[in-house]
Amino acid sequence: MTKTLHPDFGTQWEGAPIGIPYVVVGRDQPRVPVRFTDAHESDPGPYPIPPDAPIEGGPQGTGDRHVLVLDRDRWVLWELFNAHPLGKAGWKADSGAVWDLKTNQVRPPRWTSADAAGLPILPGLIRYDEVVGQKSLDHAVRFTLSRTRRAYLPPASHWASDLRDDDLPPMGMRLRLKAGFDLSGYAEEVRVILRALKTYGMILADNGSDIFLSGAPDPRWNDDTLRQLRRVQAKDFEVVEMTGLVTE
């Protein structure tokens, strides 16, 4: 069966926002404690998380439950995986990472982040304000695959598989839409996304459904229009040359 792109973002599905939400705060946002299941590979709290911070999948979500907080004053990004609020006691999460967006920061070797590949999540999301507002998406896009290799490609820093098959993709692998792919016949906002996939490509960041593109939910998305992305097939991409592959 031919694999096609799938927009893993949009408006709502079964009452929950589609995609990975985020919240923007200022330097005055109070910091709260975070209790980590995997404290060894997590950046310690406290984190400036509002009590009503949006959770991936909604408050009752059973998926990855990412929480992303961007401090617009300090240019710092705070991200949690499998986050659950604890009321006045703060939050609990499986893992967390703090990113200084003023630097070209990477995680320590073989460390995870709030994402399997050890990468930041927010910079790889497709956002409505970029695509429709600015009509420009100037970064690579986060995507997932169901089967990956026990290996990673920097700037990724972590693998999430026990499979050693050399034919499987490593975390951090970058795919790029072929330069000759015809963009005619697509809606304007879809063409913005496809142009970015030609220029910056997409980076494998997590295990999940095959070729699901990550984005932020927004009630202004047109879900019917975004479905045009499903016309793009895996064969329309090429693998960017991989150097510095890390294995056992």
Side-chain angles (χ1 to χ4, degrees), residues 3-9 19-20 56 64 66 81 114-117 119 121 124-126 140-149 160 169-175 197 201-215 234 237:
K3 302 290 186 180
T4 64
L5 290 184
H6 184 99
D8 197 16
F9 59 97
I20 304 177
E56 181 185 7
D64 288 346
H66 288 113
F81 166 67
D115 215 358
L119 296 168
I121 298 171
L125 298 184
I126 298 172
V141 176
R142 177 187 186 270
F143 83 103
T144 61
L145 288 174
S146 59
R147 300 179 75 236
T148 59
R149 180 182 172 190
M171 286 295 177
M173 179 188 70
R174 188 182 296 237
L175 300 181
L197 292 176
M202 56 186 187
I203 297 180
L204 178 57
D206 199 359
N207 295 316
S209 298
D210 281 330
I211 328 183
F212 272 42
L213 298 181
S214 300
F237 288 84

Side-chain angles (χ1 to χ4, degrees), residues 15-88:
I18 309 171
I20 304 177
Y22 66 96
V23 62
V24 180
V25 301
R27 67 173 66 248
D28 57 347
Q29 177 63 44
R31 299 192 184 190
V32 296
V34 180
R35 189 175 72 216
F36 290 112
T37 302
D38 185 4
H40 172 66
E41 294 184 12
S42 295
D43 294 324
Y47 283 40
I49 309 175
D52 59 348
I55 302 169
E56 181 185 7
Q60 307 304 318
T62 58
D64 288 346
R65 294 183 63 91
H66 288 113
V67 169
L68 314 183
V69 179
L70 175 64
D71 184 333
R72 62 174 175 264
D73 297 326
R74 294 185 173 89
W75 286 31
V76 176
L77 175 62
W78 314 71
E79 300 187 334
L80 299 178
F81 166 67
N82 195 22
H84 296 261
L86 298 175
K88 293 182 179 179

Side-chain angles (χ1 to χ4, degrees), residues 181-203:
F181 184 83
D182 186 4
L183 302 186
S184 63
Y186 291 91
E188 182 179 10
E189 55 262 49
V190 175
R191 291 199 303 271
V192 170
I193 296 171
L194 296 179
R195 283 196 293 269
L197 292 176
K198 282 189 176 188
T199 304
Y200 305 101
M202 56 186 187
I203 297 180

